[in-house]
Amino acid sequence: MIGDGYFGGPRPLTLCTVLALFGALVKSKVTEEDLLLLSEDQGVPHCFSRNLKTVTCYCDSEELLAGDDAGDRHVTYGFYYSYEQEPEEECDITIQTIQNGSRVLYVCEHDDVRLFIDLHVLVKDKSKNLTLSKRSFEVGLIAILQNPSDVTVLWEVNSERFHVIWKPPEYDMPFLLQYQGQYWSEDATEKKIMTVLDQEVQLPQLIPGRRYHLQVRTSWNGDGPSVWGPWSEVVTFYSPLSADIIGLMCFTSDLSQVCCKWDRKSANAQWSYRYQQESSAAWQPGEEDVNVTGCNFVFLPQEDLPISVELNVTYVNGNWTVYYTKLFLVNHIVIPPVPKLHVQELPGNKLALNWSNPLPGLENHLIYQIRFSEDSEKTWTTVQVPADVHHKLLSLVAGTSYILQIRASPSPNSKKIKGFWSNWSPRVFSKSPPSTGWIIPVIILCLVIILSAGLVVCYLFPSPYRKLKDKLWPSVPNLHRVLDSFLAEIQKQYQPSATLYEKPLEEAPQSSCLEILCEVTLTGEVPPTSRDYVQLSPPSYENEDYWPKIDLLELSLEYSPYNQPPNCVTNQTYLPTSWSL
């Protein structure tokens, strides 16, 4: 309390200087930050609470007095507070200078704090028993609460937005607090503010590739307007770019480790990964593995847990950028190993293709593509092979060289694994043997040409054609007619009235082929016969060349042992004979 003597007499400036020096030695109850936070507070006196256990009120003479009384140093101030239906209590006043002594505050601090009940504060001129100012408020609404701690900005790959979390101030009733966050980009002229009741907030979609800053503060969540506390420290984060921009790709070939690689090599990159269930945890750094060809870093995945990969790239000029991949499962980024293609040539211009499954145990989940080229890889023909098939028969064009390759991919119908096509296998060269099927058509064509030429010659030159025909194909005699002539000639020779056959003069006589002799001695009654005989000559025919050669005729006498032998065979007697051919 300040009495009249403090402002009376001829030395008021000296007394103020002493009070200012004394106030500087005492710990400041009102800071310049408090003044800034309460700059919008229109009530007098200004009151606030830092911990909901004490209440501090302050004011200066310019705010209490108006007109000519504003600079009156003879006023004796008194601060009084009370709750509903309770007597007023006076609190001690402390004088404090701020802003390098240019402003003097009258400060009153008391520790009787009750929540959810209005507190009445009065400032009086004790010398005149005049109330200069009064106000009523709920202590929670004038509380300047501490800012949240451990503010963390997380990138949510699913929503492609940032998620901000923090720890609330240490108060007994954190559920009565509300929070406000502000964020802005480096090239922005204004800040965007969001107010939430929870201890987290999701930022709207930001512009990729920009650096942002963020702060969070706290206030009391009551029925009326409250005082916002100080902002937390600035958190800087970078709005990431999609990994597709730099060709960032993660895959697995054996389901045991994940390989990640990217195209750009002229920058310092830091790899890290994180599982979705550990979104609040720190990113785990990836390990560089020189044993895996084409991989910048590898890590061991956990099955059935979504994974996100973050790449922080620092360039030579000092700029840095963040790239990210969308959440993926290890079973959904499978690139099978390259299958080995085996080729076997079969008869009939057939080619048997066989290959082995590159991922044992997943035979029913892989499909294949076989491509072949007939013109040195200028154009390719691709054949799709379904799952669970490990051989293929191709029909080739005879006399053609082929280049064949194969690759594998998870089947799009498979629910177990998904992924991408593998690289094409090494080239396999094959050449089909030339075909001989053209020979028969060529021969037929030649025969047709020859026959056609022959018909044309016969039509144009008939006389030479007949002569040539007689030489090449002589006429065949009519066998029936020749046989009839032969039989008729035989019949003429042996008819009784027929004259003896006369041989042609130009033919030499032929010796008899048969002699009939009789050696039987006749009795006295029969005169002896002479040894005469009849010579039979075979007939001669004019055109003997066309008749078959006939062996000599064999004449056999018919002799019966039951009959008496003839006494003699007379001359010119013909016996029955048999012709044996």
Side-chain angles (χ1 to χ4, degrees), residues 453-469:
L455 293 175
V456 171
V457 171
C458 294
Y459 180 77
L460 297 178
F461 308 99
S463 179
Y465 169 73
R466 285 193 297 269
K467 293 180 180 181
L468 179 64
K469 179 181 177 183

Side-chain angles (χ1 to χ4, degrees), residues 16 29 37 56 92 95 101 143-144 199 253 269 285 292-293 368-369 372 422-423 494 561-562:
C16 291
K29 296 181 179 180
L37 295 174
T56 301
D92 298 333
I95 299 177
I144 300 179
Q199 302 171 15
S253 297
V292 182
T293 305
Y368 304 90
Q369 276 187 352
F372 57 91
S422 67
N423 295 328
Y494 293 99
Y562 302 100

Side-chain angles (χ1 to χ4, degrees), residues 207-461:
I207 301 175
R210 292 189 180 181
R211 187 178 285 106
Y212 284 84
H213 305 287
L214 180 137
Q215 290 177 304
V216 183
R217 62 182 179 178
T218 313
S219 72
W220 186 265
N221 183 21
D223 296 335
S226 58
V227 179
W228 286 102
W231 289 105
S232 64
E233 295 182 358
V234 176
V235 177
T236 301
F237 61 96
Y238 194 92
S239 179
L241 298 170
S242 174
D244 299 335
I245 298 177
I246 59 173
L248 177 60
M249 181 181 181
C250 295
F251 62 91
T252 178
S253 297
D254 52 8
L255 298 177
S256 61
Q257 65 179 5
V258 176
C259 167
C260 294
K261 62 180 181 179
W262 66 309
D263 297 337
R264 302 182 183 179
K265 306 296 183 182
S266 60
N268 183 19
Q270 294 180 354
W271 298 86
S272 57
Y273 68 96
R274 183 177 62 189
Y275 295 102
Q276 185 182 24
Q277 67 175 7
E278 302 173 353
S279 58
S280 60
W283 289 83
Q284 303 179 25
E287 298 180 0
E288 185 177 358
D289 192 344
V290 297
N291 297 324
V292 182
T293 305
C295 291
N296 295 98
F297 90 103
V298 297
F299 63 92
L300 302 179
Q302 296 183 15
E303 190 176 358
D304 300 332
L305 289 180
I307 308 169
S308 178
V309 173
E310 182 184 62
L311 174 62
N312 295 289
V313 180
T314 303
Y315 296 97
V316 179
N317 57 6
N319 296 332
W320 58 279
T321 310
V322 179
Y323 300 92
Y324 72 95
T325 61
K326 296 183 178 180
L327 284 174
F328 59 86
L329 293 172
V330 65
N331 292 342
H332 292 175
I333 56 169
V334 177
I335 297 182
V338 179
K340 294 182 179 180
L341 182 62
H342 304 282
V343 177
Q344 181 181 4
E345 297 180 359
L346 300 178
N349 292 327
K350 300 290 183 180
L351 205 61
L353 308 180
N354 297 276
W355 59 89
S356 58
N357 180 28
L359 287 178
L362 299 177
E363 294 85 357
N364 300 328
H365 302 277
L366 296 180
I367 60 175
Y368 304 90
Q369 276 187 352
I370 300 174
R371 70 176 185 178
F372 57 91
S373 175
E374 305 176 20
D375 50 6
S376 300
E377 305 183 22
K378 294 181 180 178
T379 58
W380 292 92
T381 302
T382 304
V383 179
Q384 188 85 11
V385 182
D388 199 21
V389 175
H390 298 90
H391 57 85
K392 184 69 177 178
L393 190 65
L394 296 180
S395 298
L396 307 180
V397 178
T400 305
S401 298
Y402 287 86
I403 302 174
L404 300 100
Q405 290 179 300
I406 189 174
R407 66 177 181 175
S409 170
S411 173
N413 300 326
S414 175
K415 297 181 180 180
K416 185 175 182 180
I417 65 170
K418 297 179 181 180
F420 316 95
W421 285 102
S422 67
N423 295 328
W424 288 103
S425 65
R427 295 173 178 81
V428 177
F429 299 89
S430 177
K431 184 175 182 180
S432 59
S435 175
T436 57
W438 58 273
I439 297 178
I440 296 177
V442 170
I443 293 176
I444 294 176
L445 181 61
C446 293
L447 293 177
V448 171
I449 293 175
I450 292 174
L451 292 176
S452 301
L455 293 175
V456 171
V457 171
C458 294
Y459 180 77
L460 297 178
F461 308 99

Side-chain angles (χ1 to χ4, degrees), residues 42-110:
Q42 301 299 325
V44 179
H46 306 288
C47 299
F48 64 91
S49 175
R50 289 193 180 94
N51 50 20
L52 299 177
K53 295 180 180 180
T54 60
V55 176
T56 301
C57 295
Y58 68 93
C59 64
D60 54 23
S61 59
E62 285 77 6
E63 294 177 321
L64 295 175
L65 302 176
D68 297 337
D69 297 333
D72 190 357
R73 297 293 183 178
H74 300 281
V75 178
T76 303
Y77 298 104
F79 282 72
Y80 300 88
Y81 69 92
S82 66
Y83 290 99
E84 293 291 339
Q85 300 178 356
E86 291 185 3
E88 296 178 356
E89 294 184 9
E90 186 178 4
C91 70
D92 298 333
I93 294 178
T94 303
I95 299 177
Q96 179 182 335
T97 60
I98 58 174
Q99 297 177 355
N100 298 325
S102 63
R103 186 176 180 184
V104 179
L105 301 179
Y106 302 97
V107 183
C108 173
E109 185 179 67
H110 59 278

Side-chain angles (χ1 to χ4, degrees), residues 143-164:
I144 300 179
L145 304 178
Q146 295 296 320
N147 54 269
S149 59
D150 297 338
V151 179
T152 305
V153 181
L154 304 174
W155 173 250
E156 295 293 339
V157 182
N158 281 342
S159 60
E160 296 187 357
R161 296 184 179 183
F162 283 100
H163 188 72
V164 185

Side-chain angles (χ1 to χ4, degrees), residues 489-509:
E489 191 71 23
I490 294 292
Q491 186 176 6
K492 289 179 181 180
Q493 291 182 8
Y494 293 99
Q495 286 181 355
S497 60
T499 59
L500 295 177
Y501 176 78
E502 293 182 0
K503 296 180 181 180
L505 296 177
E506 65 273 10
E507 294 181 359

